[in-house]
Amino acid sequence: MLYAISGTDAPGSLRGRLTARESHLARVSVLRDQGRLVLAGPHPLLDTSEPADTGFSGSLIVAEFASLEDAKAWASTDPYVESGVWIDVQVRPFIQVMP
């Protein structure tokens, strides 16, 4: 089943995000390489694709996991969680209707 993982960034966490980004992307890349990733990306604080120093409000990952518990376990060990970038993480079942 698909699950939507929504992480909310801590205020002022851009430096931590940039530090943990490579490790975070490596984990997400494993999902992609396994054919389990639907989409992933950050929510910029400003309405622009180049937020520069303004940073982000969080991220969204939609991927396939065996169960809600597996999705929660995966999210709880993300480098953004471990480094304090994400201060809140919601994991919910997701039904893809389109495309």
Side-chain angles (χ1 to χ4, degrees):
M1 171 136 194
L2 295 178
Y3 295 90
I5 300 168
S6 180
T8 302
D9 283 20
S13 63
L14 181 58
R15 171 172 268 159
R17 177 183 267 274
L18 295 175
T19 300
R21 186 172 190 265
E22 187 176 329
S23 298
H24 166 76
L25 291 179
R27 288 184 83 235
V28 175
S29 293
V30 171
L31 294 174
R32 181 201 60 210
D33 295 347
Q34 293 172 341
R36 297 168 47 201
L37 182 66
V38 174
L39 63 88
H43 300 289
L45 282 170
L46 297 179
D47 186 13
T48 177
S49 61
E50 298 295 330
D53 294 337
T54 58
F56 302 89
S57 63
S59 302
L60 174 66
I61 299 167
V62 177
E64 183 179 350
F65 291 90
S67 67
L68 179 60
E69 292 76 23
D70 286 349
K72 287 181 177 181
W74 185 91
S76 72
T77 59
D78 191 273
Y80 284 170
V81 171
E82 293 178 342
S83 65
V85 172
W86 285 350
I87 56 171
D88 182 55
V89 179
Q90 299 292 316
V91 181
R92 293 176 283 232
F94 181 82
I95 298 173
Q96 183 177 3
V97 175
M98 290 186 196

